[in-house]
Amino acid sequence: DWTPLTGPLSVKLSFRFKNGHRADLWNLPKSLDAFNGFIWRDDKQVVKSEMELEVGEPEGTMLIVEEVK
């Protein structure tokens, strides 16, 4: 059984899209709301974040979540 994280969190997000497709980096993290109740109780727990946007293949998203001690 998984229990959502409850303390302060650090999040690293990396987005990669195909040749020349540029997304709006500031809109991409809005999808973090989908993890409320699953990874963490509420995305307000994120106290530190790092984001990057790359062009290349394979396309994908990487999310790293760490508890802040």
Side-chain angles (χ1 to χ4, degrees):
D1 286 327
W2 174 257
T3 302
L5 299 170
T6 58
L9 303 170
S10 170
V11 172
K12 296 179 184 176
L13 287 162
S14 178
F15 302 95
R16 184 179 299 145
F17 294 97
K18 286 185 183 177
N19 304 331
H21 177 81
R22 300 297 288 181
D24 184 344
L25 182 61
W26 296 112
N27 285 329
L28 293 171
K30 292 178 182 177
S31 61
L32 292 178
D33 286 338
F35 296 115
N36 287 348
F38 295 101
I39 294 178
W40 46 66
R41 289 190 180 181
D42 192 290
D43 59 326
K44 293 178 185 176
Q45 292 169 247
V46 177
V47 297
K48 181 179 178 184
S49 66
E50 181 180 326
M51 298 184 297
E52 67 180 356
L53 179 60
E54 301 175 348
V55 175
E57 293 186 36
E59 289 187 310
T61 301
M62 180 175 58
L63 171 66
I64 298 172
V65 178
E66 297 177 316
E67 293 180 287
V68 174
K69 305 275 184 205

